[in-house]
Amino acid sequence: MSLAINTIVVIPNNKTVAIQDIAIGDKVETFNYSTQSGLSKGNPLIVKMSNGTGNTPISQNMINISFGNNSSLICSPDQKILTENGKLKMAKHFMPNDNIFLADGSTTKIEMVVMGTYQEGIHMISTSLNPTTSLKHGNLFCANGIIVADYALNLGEPDNDELTGLNPE
């Protein structure tokens, strides 16, 4: 449920920052999802948890997901990402040609998924201190252009290795 350091996160006023530079009390742009409205931009919310290894290298398996425009996201295998059908899916279950949401509300196809040993720092953030199962309370954010679950939403999700719809309403 973590992202590689230097993952770019959108903050208010369409600015971006590396995830490891987000501190508790900073604001991030958030997103919501419902079956009626689809993906929508939420209000900027205050980060209540920001934690990671900094630049201290770790050695663990991570997933590199490549998608349109030569973009990619490096994340832990259990990091959940919003799919085109409004469900969260763990990174380790994605395949090429699966569709994921971009921050502008469109979707893009995954081009390549590679698991490998990662030797750099990781970081995670959350806009809530309590695990949640709701997709409409600002626990989705933009990481390297795609919509991912924050730490609280990752924790609230069942860990049954299947697509989960949570509470999109």
Side-chain angles (χ1 to χ4, degrees), residues 3-169:
L3 302 168
I5 62 167
N6 297 319
T7 296
I8 300 300
V9 175
V10 178
I11 61 173
N13 300 316
N14 289 323
K15 294 182 180 179
T16 59
V17 65
I19 193 166
Q20 71 272 14
D21 295 332
I22 297 172
I24 293 170
D26 291 348
K27 287 187 175 183
V28 294
E29 289 292 347
T30 63
F31 294 83
N32 300 305
Y33 182 86
S34 73
T35 52
Q36 290 86 15
S37 304
L39 184 69
S40 61
K41 194 170 183 180
N43 293 320
L45 291 179
I46 294 172
V47 172
K48 297 190 176 175
M49 189 279 293
S50 179
N51 196 6
T53 65
N55 291 323
T56 304
I58 58 152
S59 182
Q60 75 175 44
N61 284 332
M62 296 282 273
I63 305 280
N64 185 342
I65 298 174
S66 298
F67 50 99
N69 300 330
N70 295 319
S71 299
S72 67
L73 179 73
I74 299 173
C75 60
S76 61
D78 57 351
Q79 175 64 50
K80 294 177 180 95
I81 299 168
L82 191 63
T83 66
E84 72 174 336
N85 61 1
K87 297 185 184 245
L88 292 175
K89 187 176 185 179
M90 286 186 197
K92 66 184 175 184
H93 295 300
F94 278 103
M95 302 292 291
N97 294 319
D98 284 348
N99 285 306
I100 53 177
F101 265 110
L102 297 173
D104 67 4
S106 67
T107 59
T108 190
K109 285 193 183 302
I110 292 176
E111 295 174 358
M112 185 171 52
V113 180
V114 177
M115 180 181 277
T117 303
Y118 178 75
Q119 301 282 335
E120 295 184 41
I122 60 169
H123 205 87
M124 62 202 83
I125 61 172
S126 183
T127 59
S128 171
L129 293 178
N130 299 315
T132 185
T133 59
S134 176
L135 297 177
K136 61 177 194 168
H137 294 295
N139 293 97
L140 297 168
F141 69 98
C142 176
N144 285 4
I146 63 172
I147 303 300
V148 301
D150 74 356
Y151 190 71
L153 188 53
N154 273 295
L155 284 178
E157 269 285 274
D159 195 11
N160 58 9
D161 283 348
E162 296 178 13
L163 281 175
T164 55
L166 288 174
N167 271 323
E169 301 314 317

